[in-house]
Amino acid sequence: MSNIRAIRGMNDILPDETPSWQALEQSVRSLLSSYGYGEIRLPIVERTELFKRSIGEVTDIVEKEMYTFDDRNAESLTLRPEGTAGCVRAVIQQGLLGTPQRLWYSGPMFRYERPQKGRQRQFHQIGVEAFGIASPDIDAELILLTARLWRSLGLADSVELELNTIGNSASRQAYREALVAYLQQREEQLDEDSQRRLHSNPLRILDSKNPATQALLNDAPALSDYLDDESKQDFSSLCGFLDAAGLSYRVNPRLVRGLDYYNKTVFEWVTDRLGAQGTVCAGGRYDGLVEQLGGKATPGIGFAMGMERLVLLLSEVAQSQPASSAADIYVVAAGDEATRVALAAVEPLRDALPKHRIVQHLGGGSFKSQLKKADKSGAELALIWGDDEVLAGNCTVKFLRTAGDQHTVAVAELAAFVSAALA
Ligand code: ATP
Ligand code: MG
């Protein structure tokens, strides 16, 4: 009998991979909690109607990517292709919209796409949504929060922020007509995908990867000329907030999103290190969605990050960096007496520096061989005890990454000295 295999594009995540997932999830979780966002856990299956009404009937997702089936009661259900629709459904249903809400969720999403690097049929997102705040300060908060996340993950140099405003629905409607009129006259010059989109979702043509299509767009009407005043104003406030915070970004006037519910701010964090699947985090404002799904009109904004792509990016970045260190502090002690004193002195140091990795050399050996190990460990500091230090109640602190730098520190002062040195 042949073996049963997993469904294409739905991957097992194995024990040697889960540590990087867990570390990433932990960083995101603690960051979100530090900004006051609360976790909401949502069903994986929702009524098909929910996605049709929110994402839009003529989007790629709804037209051809959803896993839809009838349950035993002949009700049409769908494995969620994204998280915002379910989250909005939940906040309406649970009556959470009386006050502003800052929420996040995580879990698998399902889209019937062509599997490739960074693109699966079951993939995982952490999504963040904020309800009830119409002003663009919340747009700034969400973006600054993601920027902080990249810094904490060591990804700040690998990702770039792209930003745009797509206006309100009236300005988009007017623009859509102008764009279609322009492109219809040049229909035969469009790539096949864009020809199809011309009659279904023309704004998506703006982010076509086809060079000929992009060239054609150079002379096309520009969305920025059709924007309503409020959207323009909010966008300039948002840019001002980001400038004040020192965050750099690129305004990409062709950035649109593949889901119908967005308005005003849209943004993506992109990397050039993952090939074609370069967007690791994407989102925007969706002020009309709550009302569209039957709730009382409430502004909303959110984003989702693709966990597979972030895990891939983290491993790309890790590979291009020197191997990570095994220790922050390496303790060297020559002789029985020095070992005894060092062991006792290091315990309070561990209390004072619970986040630092302090590795004590054990099993004896000469100063020279121990210092070699200290260097190899990648530690920043060596704490050294020999007979002289024991007699004087001191420790010698050697900075291993800056040549020759060495200090004599009283054991009682050690914790303060070391924590200042490693800060
Ligand atoms: P793309 O343009 O790459 O298809 P998207 O615009 O369809 O992305 P969103 O719906 O905005 O993506 O989802 C947010 C994020 O989720 C994406 O930026 C990406 O990181 C991730 N993502 C989306 N689809 C997939 C997928 N099929 N496999 C892996 N990650 C995905
Ligand atoms: Mg997509």
Side-chain angles (χ1 to χ4, degrees), residues 374-389:
D375 191 46
K376 247 181 124 176
S377 75
E380 232 12 79
L381 298 179
L383 307 185
I384 303 169
W385 273 274
D387 294 340
D388 294 349
E389 283 85 357

Side-chain angles (χ1 to χ4, degrees), residues 61 65 81-82 111 113-114 116 118-125 204 207 209 256-259 261-262 268-269 276-283 303-310:
I61 294 181
E65 295 177 356
E82 56 96 56
R111 295 183 195 176
E113 302 196 68
R114 193 167 69 78
Q116 51 200 294
R119 191 177 295 287
Q120 293 76 35
R121 289 180 177 172
Q122 174 173 332
F123 61 100
H124 299 78
Q125 287 183 337
R204 277 315 293 276
D207 69 3
K209 303 277 184 292
V256 289
R257 308 277 308 119
L259 299 81
Y261 52 62
Y262 288 111
E268 289 192 359
W269 285 96
Q277 274 57 249
T279 304
V280 293
C281 172
F303 67 82
M305 48 196 139
M307 302 302 278
E308 278 79 2
R309 292 183 195 180
L310 283 171

Side-chain angles (χ1 to χ4, degrees), residues 156-421:
D157 295 336
S158 308
V159 291
E160 269 184 23
L161 175 62
E162 295 201 352
L163 207 57
N164 194 20
T165 178
I166 57 172
N168 65 19
S169 75
S171 51
R172 261 192 331 280
Q173 182 58 36
Y175 174 65
R176 184 178 294 135
E177 283 163 21
L179 181 68
V180 170
Y182 172 87
L183 290 175
Q184 250 166 356
Q185 289 166 10
R186 299 158 180 83
E187 194 166 347
E188 72 292 348
Q189 298 174 55
L190 286 171
D191 61 274
E192 209 179 299
D193 241 8
S194 299
Q195 284 182 357
R196 194 174 48 78
R197 285 184 168 140
L198 186 56
H199 306 287
S200 57
N201 199 344
L203 291 192
R204 277 315 293 276
I205 296 175
L206 294 182
D207 69 3
S208 160
K209 303 277 184 292
N210 185 291
T213 301
Q214 278 298 328
L216 205 59
L217 288 169
N218 287 336
D219 299 319
L223 176 55
S224 51
D225 293 332
Y226 289 78
L227 291 174
D228 53 292
D229 287 342
E230 189 185 78
S231 295
K232 278 198 271 198
Q233 240 163 42
D234 282 0
F235 191 63
S236 98
S237 304
L238 171 59
C239 293
F241 289 133
L242 299 180
D243 293 337
L247 189 72
S248 55
Y249 52 87
R250 191 170 85 83
V251 175
N252 175 359
R254 292 190 189 165
L255 180 65
V256 289
R257 308 277 308 119
L259 299 81
D260 274 358
Y261 52 62
Y262 288 111
N263 69 312
K264 290 188 172 169
T265 307
V266 292
F267 65 94
E268 289 192 359
W269 285 96
V270 297
T271 178
D272 57 10
R273 304 182 67 151
L274 295 179
Q277 274 57 249
T279 304
V280 293
C281 172
R285 189 168 267 286
Y286 48 81
D287 292 331
L289 184 57
V290 172
E291 195 174 16
Q292 197 179 314
L293 290 178
K296 82 173 195 317
T298 308
I301 177 167
F303 67 82
M305 48 196 139
M307 302 302 278
E308 278 79 2
R309 292 183 195 180
L310 283 171
V311 168
L312 275 173
L313 182 59
L314 283 166
S315 83
E316 290 276 328
V317 169
Q319 274 164 28
S320 61
Q321 280 170 351
S324 63
S325 67
D328 303 308
I329 299 168
Y330 198 91
V331 180
V332 167
D336 290 347
E337 181 64 2
T339 301
R340 194 178 60 77
V341 171
L343 265 177
V346 166
E347 283 305 309
L349 198 62
R350 294 188 194 279
D351 292 335
L353 300 169
K355 291 210 173 112
H356 287 92
R357 293 159 309 160
I358 306 174
V359 174
Q360 176 149 14
H361 180 87
L362 299 174
S366 69
F367 263 131
K368 201 173 154 209
S369 74
Q370 292 194 33
L371 277 171
K372 252 193 195 156
K373 295 216 165 76
D375 191 46
K376 247 181 124 176
S377 75
E380 232 12 79
L381 298 179
L383 307 185
I384 303 169
W385 273 274
D387 294 340
D388 294 349
E389 283 85 357
V390 170
L391 271 179
N394 290 335
C395 167
T396 298
V397 179
K398 187 171 163 56
F399 285 75
L400 295 167
R401 309 297 145 201
T402 41
D405 207 359
Q406 161 164 328
H407 299 257
T408 303
V409 180
V411 167
E413 311 292 330
L414 196 54
F417 184 91
V418 168
S419 73

Side-chain angles (χ1 to χ4, degrees), residues 46-62 66 78 80-90 92 129 131 172 201 257-263 285-294:
E46 298 271 1
R47 286 176 213 278
T48 303
E49 189 58 22
L50 174 69
F51 302 114
K52 287 193 174 166
R53 260 166 64 184
S54 55
I55 298 169
E57 296 264 10
V58 290
T59 56
D60 284 353
I61 294 181
V62 171
M66 295 206 302
T78 294
R80 63 181 181 194
E82 56 96 56
T84 303
C87 188
V88 170
R89 195 260 320 128
I92 297 171
E129 318 284 355
F131 296 98
R172 261 192 331 280
N201 199 344
R257 308 277 308 119
L259 299 81
D260 274 358
Y261 52 62
Y262 288 111
N263 69 312
R285 189 168 267 286
Y286 48 81
D287 292 331
L289 184 57
V290 172
E291 195 174 16
Q292 197 179 314
L293 290 178

